[in-house]
Amino acid sequence: MLSEKEKDEFLQVARKTLEGYLSEGEMPDLRPAGGALTEPGGAFVTLHHRDGRLRGCIGRFEAPDPLYKTVQLMAVAAATEDPRFPPVQSAELSNLHIEISALSPRRPIEDVGEIIVGKHGLSVEKEFNRGCLLPQVATEENWTREEFLSHTCLKAGLPPDSWKKGGMKIEVFEAEVFGEPR
């Protein structure tokens, strides 16, 4: 669990990184004092318009870098590399809300009954197809466990019922989700 101070510092790192990168074209050199921010870890950074519409989301599960560096890299990637959107322009940054999902390690499951909607995120993999959805997505969409699995398969480019047919690696993970006030 991250302290409120650590969450605030993570959000400041993400915001300052985006401000610096979008205006200067370079990653700012930020070095937090210590704590959870300097431990290795995975994270997703999600950008929303102030009205709630998605603007970008990218993350990584495992990272050899300290968590603050992962947050920096994923903030820039969410703003500039999400293939669903054009790159964020510096002028629109003040109208964007930043959300961070600090991730637990993934663990494989044998029975889909282990999935707890609202607690677990999902990662599915079959051959060359991979997809994941964060835990908050199922809650926001009010999905059942089966709907969550189906939508994760769709995200992986697979038929929605692929999870029923076997031969698929299904993993769960947890995320500590926090964001700027809207």
Short mmCIF file of all heavy atoms in Angstrom, two decimals, residues 3 31 39 43 48 52 58 61 70 79 81-82 88 98 104 106 111 116-117 129 131 134 140 151 177 181:
data_model
loop_
_atom_site.label_atom_id
_atom_site.label_comp_id
_atom_site.label_asym_id
_atom_site.label_seq_id
_atom_site.Cartn_x
_atom_site.Cartn_y
_atom_site.Cartn_z
N SER A 3 1.44 5.26 0.61
CA SER A 3 0.93 6.32 1.48
C SER A 3 0.34 7.43 0.61
O SER A 3 0.63 7.50 -0.60
CB SER A 3 2.05 6.88 2.36
OG SER A 3 2.96 7.61 1.56
N ARG A 31 14.18 12.81 -9.32
CA ARG A 31 14.67 11.77 -8.41
C ARG A 31 13.97 11.87 -7.07
O ARG A 31 14.34 12.69 -6.25
CB ARG A 31 16.17 11.89 -8.23
CG ARG A 31 16.92 11.65 -9.53
CD ARG A 31 18.41 11.82 -9.33
NE ARG A 31 19.06 11.87 -10.62
CZ ARG A 31 19.58 10.82 -11.23
NH1 ARG A 31 19.50 9.65 -10.67
NH2 ARG A 31 20.16 10.96 -12.40
N GLU A 39 11.46 1.56 -5.59
CA GLU A 39 11.44 0.10 -5.73
C GLU A 39 11.02 -0.27 -7.16
O GLU A 39 10.21 0.41 -7.76
CB GLU A 39 10.45 -0.51 -4.74
CG GLU A 39 10.81 -0.28 -3.28
CD GLU A 39 12.10 -0.97 -2.88
OE1 GLU A 39 12.32 -2.12 -3.31
OE2 GLU A 39 12.88 -0.35 -2.14
N ALA A 43 3.48 -0.50 -13.72
CA ALA A 43 2.42 0.50 -13.58
C ALA A 43 1.80 0.79 -14.93
O ALA A 43 2.43 0.62 -15.97
CB ALA A 43 2.97 1.78 -12.98
N HIS A 48 -7.19 10.89 -19.01
CA HIS A 48 -8.59 11.14 -19.35
C HIS A 48 -8.78 12.63 -19.59
O HIS A 48 -8.12 13.46 -18.94
CB HIS A 48 -9.52 10.76 -18.19
CG HIS A 48 -9.67 9.30 -17.97
ND1 HIS A 48 -8.99 8.62 -16.99
CD2 HIS A 48 -10.44 8.38 -18.59
CE1 HIS A 48 -9.33 7.35 -17.02
NE2 HIS A 48 -10.21 7.18 -17.98
N GLY A 52 -14.01 12.83 -18.52
CA GLY A 52 -13.98 11.38 -18.33
C GLY A 52 -13.62 10.55 -19.54
O GLY A 52 -13.34 9.36 -19.41
N ILE A 58 -1.26 3.35 -21.26
CA ILE A 58 -0.21 2.38 -21.57
C ILE A 58 0.48 2.01 -20.26
O ILE A 58 0.60 2.84 -19.35
CB ILE A 58 0.80 2.92 -22.60
CG1 ILE A 58 0.12 3.07 -23.95
CG2 ILE A 58 2.04 2.03 -22.70
CD1 ILE A 58 1.01 3.40 -25.11
N PHE A 61 3.86 -4.51 -16.98
CA PHE A 61 3.71 -5.30 -15.76
C PHE A 61 5.01 -5.42 -14.98
O PHE A 61 5.05 -5.21 -13.79
CB PHE A 61 3.18 -6.70 -16.08
CG PHE A 61 1.73 -6.69 -16.41
CD1 PHE A 61 1.31 -6.76 -17.73
CD2 PHE A 61 0.78 -6.61 -15.42
CE1 PHE A 61 -0.03 -6.75 -18.04
CE2 PHE A 61 -0.57 -6.59 -15.72
CZ PHE A 61 -0.97 -6.66 -17.04
N THR A 70 9.28 3.97 -14.16
CA THR A 70 8.23 3.29 -14.92
C THR A 70 7.06 4.24 -15.15
O THR A 70 6.52 4.34 -16.25
CB THR A 70 7.75 2.02 -14.19
OG1 THR A 70 8.86 1.14 -13.99
CG2 THR A 70 6.66 1.30 -14.96
N ALA A 79 0.76 9.37 -23.50
CA ALA A 79 0.52 10.64 -24.20
C ALA A 79 0.93 10.60 -25.67
O ALA A 79 0.36 11.33 -26.48
CB ALA A 79 1.26 11.77 -23.49
N GLU A 81 2.14 7.40 -27.55
CA GLU A 81 2.26 6.14 -28.27
C GLU A 81 0.99 5.29 -28.29
O GLU A 81 0.99 4.23 -28.91
CB GLU A 81 3.39 5.30 -27.67
CG GLU A 81 4.75 5.96 -27.79
CD GLU A 81 5.84 5.18 -27.09
OE1 GLU A 81 5.66 3.97 -26.83
OE2 GLU A 81 6.88 5.78 -26.77
N ASP A 82 -0.08 5.69 -27.61
CA ASP A 82 -1.29 4.88 -27.64
C ASP A 82 -1.84 4.95 -29.06
O ASP A 82 -2.22 6.02 -29.54
CB ASP A 82 -2.32 5.41 -26.63
CG ASP A 82 -3.51 4.49 -26.46
OD1 ASP A 82 -3.94 3.87 -27.47
OD2 ASP A 82 -4.03 4.39 -25.34
N VAL A 88 -0.70 13.56 -27.62
CA VAL A 88 -1.16 14.69 -26.82
C VAL A 88 -0.29 15.90 -27.16
O VAL A 88 0.93 15.78 -27.29
CB VAL A 88 -1.07 14.37 -25.31
CG1 VAL A 88 -1.31 15.61 -24.46
CG2 VAL A 88 -2.03 13.25 -24.94
N ILE A 98 -4.74 12.70 -14.77
CA ILE A 98 -3.80 11.58 -14.75
C ILE A 98 -4.24 10.58 -13.68
O ILE A 98 -4.54 10.95 -12.55
CB ILE A 98 -2.37 12.07 -14.44
CG1 ILE A 98 -1.89 13.02 -15.54
CG2 ILE A 98 -1.42 10.87 -14.31
CD1 ILE A 98 -0.58 13.72 -15.22
N SER A 104 0.47 -5.15 -8.83
CA SER A 104 1.07 -6.30 -8.17
C SER A 104 1.60 -7.22 -9.28
O SER A 104 1.20 -7.08 -10.43
CB SER A 104 0.02 -7.05 -7.35
OG SER A 104 -0.88 -7.74 -8.20
N ARG A 106 1.66 -10.42 -11.66
CA ARG A 106 0.60 -11.29 -12.18
C ARG A 106 0.79 -12.70 -11.62
O ARG A 106 1.91 -13.11 -11.35
CB ARG A 106 0.66 -11.35 -13.70
CG ARG A 106 0.27 -10.06 -14.37
CD ARG A 106 0.41 -10.16 -15.86
NE ARG A 106 1.83 -10.23 -16.21
CZ ARG A 106 2.29 -10.32 -17.44
NH1 ARG A 106 1.46 -10.38 -18.45
NH2 ARG A 106 3.58 -10.36 -17.68
N ASP A 111 -8.70 -21.77 -12.48
CA ASP A 111 -10.16 -21.76 -12.50
C ASP A 111 -10.63 -20.31 -12.57
O ASP A 111 -10.24 -19.49 -11.73
CB ASP A 111 -10.67 -22.42 -11.22
CG ASP A 111 -12.18 -22.45 -11.09
OD1 ASP A 111 -12.89 -21.91 -11.97
OD2 ASP A 111 -12.66 -23.02 -10.10
N ILE A 116 -12.00 -12.18 -9.07
CA ILE A 116 -12.88 -11.32 -8.28
C ILE A 116 -12.99 -9.99 -9.02
O ILE A 116 -12.02 -9.22 -9.10
CB ILE A 116 -12.34 -11.11 -6.86
CG1 ILE A 116 -12.20 -12.46 -6.15
CG2 ILE A 116 -13.26 -10.16 -6.08
CD1 ILE A 116 -11.46 -12.38 -4.83
N VAL A 117 -14.17 -9.74 -9.59
CA VAL A 117 -14.41 -8.50 -10.34
C VAL A 117 -14.29 -7.32 -9.37
O VAL A 117 -14.84 -7.35 -8.28
CB VAL A 117 -15.79 -8.53 -11.03
CG1 VAL A 117 -16.10 -7.19 -11.68
CG2 VAL A 117 -15.85 -9.66 -12.05
N ASN A 129 -1.34 -13.85 -29.36
CA ASN A 129 -2.31 -12.83 -28.95
C ASN A 129 -2.23 -12.60 -27.45
O ASN A 129 -2.23 -13.56 -26.67
CB ASN A 129 -3.73 -13.28 -29.33
CG ASN A 129 -3.91 -13.38 -30.81
OD1 ASN A 129 -3.48 -14.35 -31.43
ND2 ASN A 129 -4.54 -12.39 -31.39
N GLY A 131 -3.67 -9.72 -24.29
CA GLY A 131 -4.48 -8.57 -23.94
C GLY A 131 -4.65 -8.49 -22.43
O GLY A 131 -4.56 -9.50 -21.74
N LEU A 134 -7.38 -3.53 -16.87
CA LEU A 134 -7.18 -3.17 -15.47
C LEU A 134 -8.44 -3.47 -14.66
O LEU A 134 -9.55 -3.49 -15.21
CB LEU A 134 -6.82 -1.68 -15.36
CG LEU A 134 -5.49 -1.28 -16.01
CD1 LEU A 134 -5.37 0.23 -16.09
CD2 LEU A 134 -4.32 -1.88 -15.25
N GLU A 140 -16.08 -0.07 -13.77
CA GLU A 140 -16.66 1.08 -14.48
C GLU A 140 -17.73 0.64 -15.47
O GLU A 140 -18.73 1.33 -15.66
CB GLU A 140 -15.56 1.84 -15.22
CG GLU A 140 -14.60 2.58 -14.30
CD GLU A 140 -13.33 3.04 -14.99
OE1 GLU A 140 -13.17 2.82 -16.22
OE2 GLU A 140 -12.47 3.63 -14.31
N HIS A 151 -14.31 -9.54 -22.78
CA HIS A 151 -13.75 -8.27 -23.26
C HIS A 151 -12.21 -8.30 -23.25
O HIS A 151 -11.57 -7.67 -24.11
CB HIS A 151 -14.28 -7.10 -22.43
CG HIS A 151 -15.67 -6.71 -22.82
ND1 HIS A 151 -15.94 -5.89 -23.89
CD2 HIS A 151 -16.86 -7.05 -22.29
CE1 HIS A 151 -17.25 -5.74 -24.00
NE2 HIS A 151 -17.84 -6.44 -23.05
N VAL A 177 -5.06 1.97 -7.48
CA VAL A 177 -5.44 3.00 -8.46
C VAL A 177 -5.68 4.32 -7.74
O VAL A 177 -6.42 4.38 -6.77
CB VAL A 177 -6.70 2.57 -9.23
CG1 VAL A 177 -7.06 3.60 -10.29
CG2 VAL A 177 -6.52 1.19 -9.85
N PRO A 181 -7.45 14.92 -8.69
CA PRO A 181 -8.86 15.28 -8.57
C PRO A 181 -9.38 15.75 -9.92
O PRO A 181 -8.66 16.35 -10.71
CB PRO A 181 -8.86 16.45 -7.57
CG PRO A 181 -7.50 16.49 -6.99
CD PRO A 181 -6.58 15.74 -7.89
#
